[in-house]
């Protein structure tokens, strides 16, 4: 079997660490794993397949000899290192939003548009975590009848903000439990026992950058240039796994029974829909695994065009980021 040299850019962050874990779990044919990070993390040890590997400095020379670079850094770093990665002859699979809407960069969810990966010119973008989870849930419906409109509300776990988000929720719960004030650093307000209806900055129409990703990225991934999405993104005091409420309308009505049948067979999905017995997707059940759970499928009684409503949950650190990136790498080596 052919093996590949793989670099992890941002290897000590939450997504970078998960990428390493997923590579091992899926038995990706790694010849050399090269963990890269900033100067402050150089020399730290990364465990991969029972061996400790030193974290190296992320610099242009670090990509020489690499075949694939899984990038888990912010936009600034992604843009800074992309030219060096391409010059080294590697393919960059980038988890930031830096290149997602660039015309010459494929934006890929392997269950939906794997063929787009072949169009890359050195960079393939990983979509936003909520976009991946939501579109994986509805893709089977879109295949039956193209989706025209989606009204979406996301309930996003604190781990979407990285390790700092997890630490802040933990620390606030501990502090409040001991009668102390909650310290606020990562989020704009206390997140413990609270909801924050803002993720990203607001635009002139009152929508946040996170909310607009669902429409803009959805159009590109599903090849639906006229898709309309009204999205509200909310940070919730959940450690892991995003939950999403979706009401959608397709060009032709789809019955509840048909929707359940096709979602049950859809790649990357698990149907959890038996409300009589209280069976429906929840964050605790979907954490630390790679499938999107879909349930609460029902007729949208506010729709004049035979719309559907559903509820889905998925692990945004894995399927929403790390696993999706590794799945793209698997497409490349095939």
């Amino acid at each position: 079997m052919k093996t590949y040299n793989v670099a992890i850019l941002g290897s000590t962050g939450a997504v970078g660490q998960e990428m390493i874990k997923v590579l091992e779990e899926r038995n990706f044919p790694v010849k050399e794993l090269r963990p890269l990070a900033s100067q402050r993390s150089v020399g730290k040890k990364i465990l991969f397949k029972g061996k400790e590997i030193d974290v190296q400095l992320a610099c242009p020379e670090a990509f020489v000899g690499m075949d694939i670079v899984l990038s888990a850094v912010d936009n600034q770093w992604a843009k800074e290192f992309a030219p060096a990665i391409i010059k080294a002859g590697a393919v960059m699979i980038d988890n930031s939003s830096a290149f997602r809407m660039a015309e010459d960069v494929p934006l890929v969810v392997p269950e939906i548009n794997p063929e787009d990966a072949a169009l890359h010119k050195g960079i393939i973008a990983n979509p936003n975590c909520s976009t991946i989870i939501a579109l994986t849930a509805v893709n089977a419906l879109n295949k039956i009848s193209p989706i025209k409109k989606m009204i979406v509300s996301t309930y996003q776990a604190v781990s979407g903000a990285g390790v700092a988000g997890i630490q802040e929720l933990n620390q606030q719960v501990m502090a409040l439990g001991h009668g102390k004030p909650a310290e606020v650093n990562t989020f704009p307000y206390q997140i413990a026992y609270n909801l924050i209806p803002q993720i990203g900055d607001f635009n002139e129409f009152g929508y946040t950058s996170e909310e607009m990703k669902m429409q803009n990225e959805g159009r590109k991934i599903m090849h639906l240039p006229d898709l309309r999405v009204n999205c509200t993104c909310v940070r919730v005091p959940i450690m892991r796994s995003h939950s999403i409420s979706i009401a959608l309308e397709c060009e032709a009505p789809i019955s509840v029974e048909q929707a359940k049948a096709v979602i049950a067979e859809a790649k990357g999905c698990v149907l959890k829909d038996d409300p009589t017995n209280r069976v429906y997707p929840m964050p605790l059940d979907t954490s630390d695994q790679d499938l999107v759970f879909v349930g609460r499928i029902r007729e949208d009684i506010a729709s004049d065009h035979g719309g559907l409503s559903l509820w889905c949950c998925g692990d945004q650190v894995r399927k929403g980021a790390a696993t999706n990136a590794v799945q793209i790498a698997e497409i490349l080596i095939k």
Side-chain angles (χ1 to χ4, degrees):
M1 177 187 290
K2 185 176 180 181
T3 54
Y4 300 84
N5 296 329
V6 180
I8 309 293
L9 179 59
S11 59
T12 57
V15 173
Q17 291 177 31
E18 202 71 28
M19 286 173 169
I20 294 168
K21 179 181 176 182
V22 173
L23 284 170
E24 183 168 349
E25 285 179 1
R26 296 175 74 93
N27 199 28
F28 191 88
V30 176
K31 181 179 181 181
E32 177 193 345
L33 183 73
R34 187 174 294 177
L36 305 173
S38 63
Q39 182 66 55
R40 65 185 179 187
S41 295
V42 171
K44 289 184 177 179
K45 304 291 184 182
I46 295 290
L47 188 64
F48 181 67
K49 293 188 175 180
K51 296 181 180 180
E52 287 189 336
I53 306 171
D54 289 333
V55 174
Q56 299 181 33
L57 178 65
C59 62
E61 296 74 25
F63 306 107
V64 175
M66 294 294 101
D67 299 304
I68 296 170
V69 177
L70 302 180
S71 174
V73 294
D74 61 22
N75 288 11
Q76 181 179 345
W77 269 43
K79 291 178 180 178
E80 178 181 340
F81 287 119
I85 294 169
I86 295 171
K87 183 179 179 181
V91 179
M92 179 186 196
I93 302 172
D94 180 47
N95 197 61
S96 80
S97 61
F99 305 105
R100 288 176 186 160
M101 300 314 298
E103 289 187 7
D104 59 346
V105 175
L107 184 64
V108 176
V109 179
E111 291 85 354
I112 301 173
N113 61 331
E115 65 283 352
D116 287 359
L119 305 175
H120 78 82
K121 298 179 180 178
I123 303 173
I124 301 173
N126 220 26
N128 173 260
C129 51
S130 292
T131 301
I132 292 173
I133 293 165
L135 296 192
T136 300
V138 303
N139 182 53
L141 305 178
N142 185 61
K143 287 182 177 180
I144 298 174
S145 179
I147 297 171
K148 295 168 52 182
K149 181 175 76 172
M150 294 169 56
I151 298 175
V152 180
S153 294
T154 72
Y155 306 81
Q156 299 185 211
V158 294
S159 50
V163 174
I166 297 172
Q167 292 174 340
E168 182 144 313
L169 177 55
N170 273 326
Q171 290 165 356
Q172 288 181 359
V173 169
M174 290 286 290
L176 293 168
H178 288 86
K180 299 178 181 179
E183 186 175 329
V184 175
N185 295 302
T186 302
F187 302 110
Y189 296 97
Q190 174 186 314
I191 187 59
Y193 314 114
N194 194 24
L195 303 174
I196 303 174
Q198 178 190 358
I199 303 176
D201 297 324
F202 289 102
N203 65 18
E204 65 271 29
F205 303 107
Y207 288 86
T208 68
S209 54
E210 183 83 358
E211 290 161 353
M212 293 309 301
K213 291 172 186 176
M214 187 71 72
Q215 173 174 279
N216 298 337
E217 296 181 17
R219 289 175 171 179
K220 185 173 181 178
I221 295 162
M222 303 183 87
H223 302 287
L224 295 172
D226 297 322
L227 176 68
R228 292 176 294 153
V229 179
N230 183 324
C231 185
T232 302
C233 291
V234 183
R235 186 73 70 190
V236 298
I238 298 293
M239 286 298 179
R240 188 150 169 168
S241 199
H242 289 354
S243 302
I244 305 174
S245 171
I246 304 172
L248 58 85
E249 290 184 1
C250 297
E251 289 185 3
I254 300 172
S255 70
V256 171
E257 293 73 21
Q258 189 178 17
K260 288 182 179 181
V262 296
I263 288 173
E265 298 296 325
K267 290 182 179 179
C269 289
V270 173
L271 183 69
K272 292 284 184 179
D273 197 326
D274 184 4
T276 302
N277 293 302
R278 299 179 182 175
V279 175
Y280 30 68
M282 293 184 292
L284 285 178
D285 297 331
T286 52
S287 295
D288 201 27
Q289 57 83 55
D290 296 323
L291 298 171
V292 175
F293 287 24
V294 187
R296 297 292 317 278
I297 301 171
R298 59 205 187 276
E299 179 186 349
D300 181 356
I301 58 175
S303 171
D304 296 324
H305 305 286
L308 292 171
S309 293
L310 59 83
W311 171 262
C312 62
C313 298
D315 188 321
Q316 87 290 347
V317 180
R318 289 184 65 100
K319 180 54 190 166
T323 301
N324 200 78
V326 174
Q327 286 178 298
I328 293 171
E330 291 171 344
I331 294 171
L332 291 179
I333 67 172
K334 286 178 181 178

